[in-house]
Amino acid sequence: MTTTLDAARAAVKKLKVFPLPPVVLLPGSAAPLHIFEPRYRELVKAALASDGLFAMAQVLPGQEALLAGAPKLEDIVCVGHIGPHEELPDGRYNLVLIGIARARLKRELPATALYREFEAELLEDTDVPGADEALRQAVVELVARVPTDVGQRVAQVASRATGGALADLVASTFLTDPQRRFQVLCELDVATRLEIVTEELLSLVGHIKPRKPDAFMN
């Protein structure tokens, strides 16, 4: 059975790309999108008719004013799979894009549609056993400081991933600054990515007072 990762490995040969600077999608995270521009309506329609995949990209600094055209793009992107979606009567779409994996753009392909397509290479993490222990401990510290129900949800999320995937999951949950999220996206070394996210999470923990012990009922 073909998985979304298998599909992404094939899709990078001719990868549909959607530049949207405010949104930094990370593998394992989800981004709700409202698609209204004609070229991106066409992109979504084509994706839904084939593999359901396209990539979210950032524009190079200084290229933001060219977003309506064809700005130069950062080469690291996140390939995502279209999850729940709705086509509106006027052709717009509401959808959730679910991050699958990083990719590096290699060259732009000749235009055959309104949207842009690139030849890219998929960037898959290598396993680094034990490298995520410090981040797991930081998650434990956070759980001890937030309300019990929130802590339980955080612990459940953290239990679903290891290594680089854990760093991505924690970053997508707790890092709100787009530049910091993009730094995590661009960090291909798993150990370094884990260190970055651990430092960010510990900084957050340091600003939260320890939770008061739950009162015991007699």
Side-chain angles (χ1 to χ4, degrees):
M1 185 174 71
T2 301
T3 66
T4 52
L5 188 57
D6 290 331
R9 293 184 182 116
V12 292
K13 298 175 183 176
K14 192 176 183 181
L15 183 63
K16 302 174 183 66
V17 175
F18 181 10
L20 189 63
V23 177
V24 180
L25 184 69
L26 289 164
S29 69
L33 301 173
H34 176 66
I35 309 297
F36 59 90
E37 285 190 54
R39 57 180 167 171
Y40 298 125
R41 295 187 202 179
E42 182 178 319
L43 181 154
V44 170
K45 185 174 183 178
L48 289 171
S50 55
D51 54 18
L53 304 180
F54 65 90
M56 298 297 300
Q58 301 294 298
V59 301
L60 287 172
Q63 293 282 304
E64 295 84 359
L66 304 176
L67 196 58
K72 294 180 180 179
L73 305 178
E74 298 279 6
D75 63 345
I76 302 298
V77 301
C78 183
V79 181
H81 179 264
I82 298 173
H85 60 277
E86 173 191 21
E87 182 177 5
L88 302 176
D90 61 1
R92 293 175 295 138
Y93 288 90
N94 290 322
L95 62 87
V96 175
L97 189 66
I98 302 167
I100 300 172
R102 292 165 174 79
R104 178 183 286 113
L105 303 181
K106 297 172 67 176
R107 69 182 182 93
E108 186 162 4
L109 300 174
T112 58
L114 293 177
Y115 53 87
R116 301 167 72 182
E117 295 177 298
F118 288 76
E119 178 187 350
E121 60 176 327
L122 207 66
L123 304 169
E124 300 183 53
D125 284 346
T126 55
D127 188 28
V128 184
D132 58 12
E133 288 304 315
L135 181 53
R136 291 195 178 280
Q137 184 57 44
V139 170
V140 171
E141 294 287 340
L142 177 67
V143 168
R145 283 168 163 76
V146 297
T148 303
D149 58 336
V150 175
Q152 289 174 343
R153 291 197 296 271
V154 171
Q156 288 173 356
V157 168
S159 69
R160 299 203 306 261
T162 60
L166 176 63
D168 291 337
L169 203 56
V170 172
S172 66
T173 304
F174 296 105
L175 269 62
T176 57
D177 180 69
Q179 291 184 338
R180 297 299 281 166
R181 288 169 67 95
F182 188 60
Q183 180 187 8
V184 173
L185 180 67
C186 290
E187 185 50 71
L188 305 182
D189 182 81
V190 170
T192 303
R193 191 191 314 156
L194 284 160
E195 290 176 5
I196 292 170
V197 177
T198 299
E199 289 178 4
E200 292 284 347
L201 194 60
L202 286 174
S203 177
L204 174 62
V205 168
H207 289 85
I208 303 174
K209 294 181 180 180
R211 185 179 67 231
K212 293 181 179 180
D214 295 334
F216 288 99
M217 299 295 292
N218 291 325

